[in-house]
Amino acid sequence: MGRRVFSGNGLGGLLVVAIGFFFYIYGNHLQFYEENTIGAGYMPMSLTTILVVLGMIICLQTIFSSSERNVFYPRIDWRSFFIIISALALFSLLISFFGLLPGVFFTVLYASLAAGPLRWVAFWAAIAMTVIIWFVFGFGLGLTIPMLKNGVGF
Amino acid sequence: MLANMLLGLENATSITNLFYCFVGVSVGTFIGVLPGIGPLAAVSVLMPLTFYMEPMAALVMIAGIYYGAEYGGSTASILLNLPGTAANAVTCLDGYPMALQGRAAVALFVTTIASFAGGVGGILVLTLFTPAIAEIALSLKATEYVAIMVLGLISAGVVTQGSPLKGLVMIVLGLLLSTVGIDLQTGASRYTFGTFVLYDGISVVIIAMGLFGIAEMIGAIRGKSPSLATQAVSMRSMLPRRDEVKLLGGPALRGGIIGTFVGALPGAGVTLAAFMAYAFEKKISKDPNKFGKGAIEGITAPESANNAAAQTAFIPTLSLGIPGSPTMALLLGAMMIHGITPGPLFISEKPEIFWGLIASFWIGNILLLILNIPLIGIWVWVLRVPYQALYLFIFPLICVGVFSLRNEVFDVVTVLVVGVFGYFLRQFKFEPAPLMISFVLGPMLEENFRRAVLIGRGEISYFFNSTLSSTLLILTLLIALWAIFAPALKRHM
């Protein structure tokens, strides 16, 4: 039964409780009531309370349920997860230091690793998207995003 | 009304708007055909581009993607046994068996015609009822507005696939996220963590990209590639047999009526419409055994229903400012970014946009008929593109799109955070769609709630001061209780 904590509903419920507590702690200082009406804290505090309660129900229902129905163990694709998430981080670094076009090119190459080893299609996609993005965002929409930077922020 | 419709037609047939209508329905069909990318992901990825367009063009395009996807979605259901969008899932049941029997072309033709019929029915109802509902909505009190919104939110949470309890969690989470930023009434800063970049709150685009772009992508990249039921699709092979044509009218009509009704309920959505239409058709059939083995009624009714529902989802969206589906929530988000306030005043204040949008639905549906019958070969070819290659084109669009919102690296990082939580919640089977609806409705709910409390001097009983709001609130309570206790009750029975 203790194993059920690590089931989808067990972990999911705990995650919801954690999110609820996080928002509760950082919203606790807000005023609950104003004169004559509700304050800025009314909605956040009521919502976080509901969230924590619902999260606990989901978690406890699974742990103490007598049937195996609805018990599932999620499969996390760690490789795709890690690569895609870090690709976003990579993009925000590259665009800050080297500009948009290098950012797109290298991010696409890196993101392609999420599916497996580096492939030729990734290379072509990187080139194509660099050109397309330059054309659409730079030429077409005339955005003021710096296309190229020298690495120290100019 | 006629004058308004002419005004709308004139507006919709301008070269720019025609162009964006065409782009919208083509993109919609494209992403509808591809399993793994739904209309929500497509609209969120393309939303940054629409900020540079005229408001009218932007709305026409977003709407086109939305209803176009319902047409395209059946193609994947029939040929791959994988629904292009959630609303086409039920089309697999009889569409794929038809393809295995070598009748894929007929199935594709029939679903397109059914989609068109449903779409047209939906637009007619939309045209007739939306202005009237908006007029009634103008006289609604704050408490009644709150009651309608709460009911819409709760039913949106409960109706999703999977556990109703988890749907409620996502609704609450969406409302909570919508409070981030400066509170307009009191000036208090909520969850800004000391950075000014969060003062305006989190953009609806960021939430959508994180939940439907990034989180969905991570899950799909190494999913298994399906095998295609390939066969030549020529115009001639598409025509159904004469005895089959006779079978089509009834299911298309019944599906259309169910879809029209269900789609108009705030939050209920197109998927439910398709499932209900299928179940109904099976129930009244003289020979229910043929369903699941390639019954032509089994693809006609749900496809008619989901397209009718896709159109009538615009009724609560445009008349009340309450999104009829998650994609409608994004449409409302786009309206607000363009400075248009959604709600009952929208139709009277911006008649050219409202009627133009409706005229564009007619044009869009006719374009879709052309795109999906003579040009079907293109979409069958699109199905061969593997997702492992496709995401390489979508991912940079997400990155650059988010950054271009206001040239802010912080926004890319926010997408990262939303993506991480979105992915885990998704793996734990929390359906993200309801969150979108409540996130967009959050500020409006709080504003009306605050007003109601002010007028009622803080008395709870004030919320029950009219029959309408009492009825709706009691209904809401019952649904919520059912959602929480249904699993426990089922176990004991």
Side-chain angles (χ1 to χ4, degrees):
Chain A
M1 207 179 256
R3 201 174 103 84
R4 296 245 186 104
V5 177
F6 299 102
S7 72
N9 285 348
L11 289 175
L14 288 179
L15 179 63
V16 170
V17 172
I19 296 174
F21 270 117
F22 175 82
F23 277 94
Y24 186 84
I25 291 165
Y26 284 95
N28 205 11
H29 66 282
L30 295 163
Q31 199 138 31
F32 201 71
Y33 287 113
E34 293 277 319
E35 213 177 327
N36 295 329
T37 187
I38 58 167
Y42 188 93
M43 287 283 275
M45 288 304 98
S46 328
L47 293 170
T48 49
T49 312
I50 300 174
L51 210 53
V52 170
V53 171
L54 289 178
M56 281 178 174
I57 296 179
I58 291 175
C59 188
L60 294 178
Q61 259 181 2
T62 302
I63 294 177
F64 293 108
S65 158
S66 50
S67 77
E68 278 295 318
R69 223 164 32 113
N70 296 330
V71 178
F72 65 97
Y73 294 89
R75 264 201 224 134
I76 309 289
D77 187 348
W78 289 108
R79 182 191 174 114
S80 303
F81 174 75
F82 179 76
I83 300 275
I84 290 297
I85 293 301
S86 55
L88 278 169
L90 177 73
F91 177 77
S92 38
L93 286 177
L94 286 174
I95 198 167
S96 310
F97 291 105
F98 299 99
L100 184 67
L101 298 184
V104 170
F105 185 81
F106 291 107
T107 308
V108 172
L109 277 189
Y110 179 72
S112 79
L113 298 176
L118 200 60
R119 298 160 295 162
W120 273 108
V121 62
F123 193 69
W124 298 122
I127 294 179
M129 281 320 285
T130 310
V131 174
I132 290 172
I133 292 217
W134 169 78
F135 185 78
V136 173
F137 284 87
F139 181 76
L141 300 173
L143 292 199
T144 51
I145 304 178
M147 292 288 157
L148 275 172
K149 284 183 182 179
N150 63 7
V152 283
F154 290 102
Chain B
M1 192 149 149
L2 200 65
N4 278 326
M5 285 166 114
L6 283 176
L7 169 78
L9 195 63
E10 196 186 312
N11 206 355
T13 47
S14 76
I15 297 292
T16 333
N17 291 336
L18 272 181
F19 174 73
Y20 284 115
C21 185
F22 175 73
V23 172
V25 294
S26 307
V27 171
T29 311
F30 180 74
I31 56 104
V33 167
L34 293 168
I37 318 173
L40 265 168
V43 172
S44 50
V45 170
L46 293 177
M47 232 167 66
L49 292 177
T50 64
F51 299 160
Y52 302 92
M53 302 174 188
E54 293 285 308
M56 169 85 189
L59 297 182
V60 164
M61 188 173 101
I62 294 174
I65 297 176
Y66 175 60
Y67 57 78
E70 296 312 331
Y71 272 79
S74 54
T75 308
S77 298
I78 293 166
L79 293 175
L80 292 181
N81 200 19
L82 264 186
T85 73
N88 306 105
V90 69
T91 309
C92 294
L93 297 178
D94 282 286
Y96 190 65
M98 278 185 82
L100 292 181
Q101 291 156 17
R103 313 197 61 229
V106 177
L108 291 170
F109 180 80
V110 167
T111 50
T112 303
I113 298 295
S115 298
F116 185 74
V120 165
I123 304 174
L124 282 176
V125 174
L126 167 71
T127 317
L128 289 175
F129 286 95
T130 314
I133 293 176
E135 206 135 294
I136 297 170
L138 281 175
S139 58
L140 287 178
K141 294 193 221 80
T143 49
E144 292 165 338
Y145 232 109
V146 169
I148 293 176
M149 279 189 268
V150 174
L151 177 63
L153 287 177
I154 297 281
S155 31
V158 169
V159 158
T160 50
Q161 299 114 301
S163 142
L165 206 54
K166 290 177 177 172
L168 290 184
V169 165
M170 295 311 265
I171 290 287
V172 175
L173 201 54
L175 290 174
L176 195 56
L177 287 173
S178 78
T179 64
V180 174
I182 297 282
D183 178 24
L184 289 178
Q185 304 292 319
T186 61
S189 68
R190 301 192 279 200
Y191 304 117
T192 55
F193 304 103
T195 60
F196 70 92
V197 281
L198 279 174
Y199 276 14
D200 289 334
I202 307 173
S203 165
V204 62
V205 183
I206 291 179
I207 299 282
M209 290 232 197
L211 284 184
F212 297 98
I214 297 298
E216 212 170 78
M217 184 179 288
I218 297 172
I221 287 176
R222 293 206 291 173
K224 59 173 194 278
S225 317
S227 53
L228 184 64
T230 358
Q231 44 195 272
V233 178
S234 70
M235 280 287 275
R236 186 175 297 242
S237 66
M238 292 180 93
L239 295 176
R241 293 192 303 262
R242 187 166 296 167
D243 58 312
E244 286 173 330
V245 176
K246 282 191 200 143
L247 286 174
L248 296 179
L253 184 69
R254 289 188 288 268
I257 292 171
I258 292 173
T260 303
F261 184 72
V262 175
L265 300 175
V270 288
T271 311
L272 183 69
F275 273 93
M276 281 176 69
Y278 186 82
F280 186 74
E281 213 52 50
K282 195 171 170 181
K283 188 151 222 167
I284 63 161
S285 169
K286 287 189 202 108
D287 181 15
N289 285 328
K290 68 180 174 182
F291 281 83
K293 295 174 193 135
I296 204 157
E297 301 97 312
I299 56 173
T300 314
E303 282 303 315
S304 169
N306 65 26
N307 283 275
Q311 297 296 350
T312 52
F314 284 92
I315 295 178
T317 312
L318 298 177
S319 66
L320 304 172
I322 296 177
S325 76
T327 321
M328 289 294 100
L330 280 177
L331 185 94
L332 287 181
M335 280 169 84
M336 291 183 227
I337 286 163
H338 278 285
I340 304 169
T341 320
L345 284 171
F346 165 65
I347 299 175
S348 47
E349 279 177 357
K350 305 258 180 206
E352 72 287 356
I353 295 189
F354 174 75
W355 292 103
L357 202 54
I358 289 194
S360 85
F361 295 165
W362 287 108
I363 299 168
N365 272 281
I366 293 168
L367 285 174
L368 281 164
L369 210 51
I370 302 169
L371 281 174
N372 281 281
I373 293 179
L375 301 180
I376 185 73
I378 301 175
W379 310 116
V380 176
W381 179 78
V382 162
L383 275 178
R384 290 166 204 266
V385 180
Y387 193 78
Q388 278 93 337
L390 195 69
Y391 85 94
L392 295 175
F393 295 86
I394 304 168
F395 185 69
L397 276 180
I398 294 179
C399 296
V400 180
V402 172
F403 182 77
S404 76
L405 290 176
R406 45 180 190 168
N407 288 11
E408 186 61 70
V409 174
F410 186 85
D411 288 344
V412 183
V413 179
T414 315
V415 169
L416 186 156
V417 174
V418 176
V420 169
F421 281 97
Y423 177 67
F424 280 103
L425 286 173
R426 191 179 279 265
Q427 296 313 101
F428 298 147
K429 296 194 183 163
F430 287 79
E431 199 54 42
L435 190 149
M436 229 37 249
I437 297 182
S438 63
F439 180 76
V440 169
L441 266 187
M444 201 161 118
L445 179 67
E446 189 177 17
E447 191 193 320
N448 279 287
F449 186 71
R450 190 173 264 153
R451 194 179 302 154
V453 173
L454 189 68
I455 302 169
R457 294 158 199 246
E459 294 287 332
I460 288 279
S461 59
Y462 181 69
F463 279 91
F464 295 90
N465 70 341
S466 81
T467 335
L468 179 64
S469 63
S470 328
T471 320
L472 294 178
L473 285 174
I474 291 168
L475 196 59
T476 309
L477 196 67
L478 291 177
I479 297 176
L481 287 177
W482 175 80
I484 294 173
F485 294 109
L489 284 178
K490 249 182 229 159
R491 253 199 313 281
H492 286 294
M493 276 193 295

